[in-house]
Amino acid sequence: MLTFVAIIVTAIAWGIWVPLTHKVKFPSSYTRVFYVAIANLILAFFVARFSPYWAELTPRVMIFSFIGGIIWAISGACAFYASERIGIAKANGTWAPLNIVFSITWGILLFGEFLDLPTPIKLLALLAVIIIIAGILMIITASGGKATKSMNSFLPYLAAIGTGVLWGTYFIPIRLTQASTWAAAFPLGIGILVGSLIFVIISRSSLKLEKTKDYAITMTSGLLWGIGNYSSLILMERIGTGKGYTIAQISLVINALISIFIFHQPSPKTKEALKTVIGILVALAGAIILGNLK
């Protein structure tokens, strides 16, 4: 029962945390990440402080997790930049499968994971990667909706790809410490906040939002990401990291539905929308195959 609840909570929380803030006008993507970071850090502090994991916060864990947070902050800025310009469905459909590809790639290169798999399984892994790439290419080549004006520039797609690479990488410093991710979430949150603040200062972005409710909406978005993060940890603890992380990508479907039917990015009942959804499902299928190899 707990596993099922964790799946639902993760899918919903990660499925709506990015779309939630798309009705809010921000001075920049950095401002958006800053407020998300504040809410996430508050949640992470209370979870760490009132749990048995507080004792694990050694200087090494703090420093390495902080570095992971800086990487996450860059990822977050790229994610919001991409989703603002090419739509949530296209952006998320591009970065989410890449998260899995790169997390598994780092596992192979740094930790020797999957190297002892038999050749047929390795070939299946290669096929899964090809399927993911095919799905992403379908998403990228789909046009229409609000994204049309941005299609002449590949920069938003590069940002989405960068998001996939970095969100598939930020946990590496944490893994190097061999600390519990439950403990590392707090210094990770500090790194996210500091990183986002640095970007705000460098870009000279304003932290002022147009309406009072915009602050609450953005903070809620940060809380949702944090809640999804913890529920995904429960999921991975119960059924395994690979399976848990890939099942969590069900949030892609929710993202796509919100993007198409609420924000019309791309507009519903168009070939562009159909191609985007098919591309997401293809990429998700490849990611599920890849994440469940043994």
Side-chain angles (χ1 to χ4, degrees):
M1 182 63 180
L2 180 59
T3 300
F4 177 75
V5 172
I7 291 172
I8 298 300
V9 171
T10 303
I12 293 176
W14 277 359
I16 66 177
W17 83 273
V18 172
L20 183 63
T21 59
H22 271 250
K23 290 295 185 181
V24 178
K25 291 183 179 180
F26 292 93
S28 73
S29 298
Y30 305 123
T31 304
R32 189 193 304 243
V33 177
F34 176 78
Y35 285 111
V36 166
I38 291 177
N40 173 65
L41 180 59
I42 293 172
L43 176 63
F45 170 77
F46 282 104
V47 171
R49 187 66 186 89
F50 298 103
S51 73
Y53 301 101
W54 186 261
E56 294 185 30
L57 293 177
T58 64
R60 176 180 169 83
V61 173
M62 292 289 290
I63 293 171
F64 277 68
S65 301
F66 178 86
I67 293 172
I70 297 293
I71 296 173
W72 194 102
I74 300 172
S75 307
C78 289
F80 286 129
Y81 174 84
S83 60
E84 286 169 0
R85 285 159 177 77
I86 60 176
I88 301 164
K90 293 177 185 293
N92 204 335
T94 300
W95 77 56
L98 287 176
N99 289 349
I100 297 174
V101 171
F102 276 88
S103 63
I104 291 177
T105 299
W106 287 125
I108 294 172
L109 295 177
L110 298 179
F111 306 105
E113 297 176 355
F114 302 102
L115 294 180
D116 57 345
L117 293 176
T119 300
I121 301 298
K122 291 179 181 178
L123 292 175
L124 184 59
L126 178 60
L127 176 61
V129 171
I130 293 173
I131 292 173
I132 291 171
I133 293 173
I136 291 173
L137 287 175
M138 290 183 68
I139 296 166
I140 290 176
T141 55
S143 60
K146 288 182 66 177
T148 303
K149 294 181 180 179
S150 299
M151 291 302 293
N152 292 329
S153 172
F154 199 64
L155 188 59
Y157 289 101
L158 288 177
I161 292 171
T163 302
V165 174
L166 295 174
W167 269 348
T169 302
Y170 79 90
F171 67 92
I172 294 299
I174 299 173
R175 283 200 60 181
L176 291 173
T177 67
Q178 298 184 335
S180 165
T181 49
W182 286 83
F186 175 52
L188 174 76
I190 296 175
I192 295 173
L193 180 60
V194 172
S196 63
L197 181 59
I198 290 173
F199 296 138
V200 166
I201 293 172
I202 292 175
S203 64
R204 298 183 180 180
S205 300
S206 173
L207 292 178
K208 184 178 180 180
L209 304 181
E210 289 188 355
K211 302 176 182 178
T212 303
K213 68 176 184 179
D214 292 345
Y215 296 96
I217 292 173
T218 311
M219 296 282 280
T220 300
S221 175
L223 287 174
L224 283 172
W225 182 85
I227 291 170
N229 184 48
Y230 287 114
S231 60
S232 72
L233 289 176
I234 295 173
L235 184 60
M236 287 183 277
E237 286 176 352
R238 293 183 68 85
I239 65 175
T241 301
K243 289 183 179 180
Y245 193 71
T246 49
I247 289 176
Q249 302 311 312
I250 293 173
S251 60
L252 258 176
V253 178
I254 298 175
N255 265 253
L257 293 175
I258 293 174
S259 178
I260 293 170
F261 292 102
I262 295 181
F263 295 105
H264 293 185
Q265 298 176 336
S267 297
K269 299 181 180 179
T270 63
K271 292 181 179 179
E272 291 78 11
L274 179 61
K275 189 175 181 180
T276 298
V277 171
I278 292 175
I280 288 173
L281 294 177
V282 169
L284 185 59
I288 291 174
I289 294 172
L290 188 61
N292 287 278
L293 294 179
K294 291 184 178 179

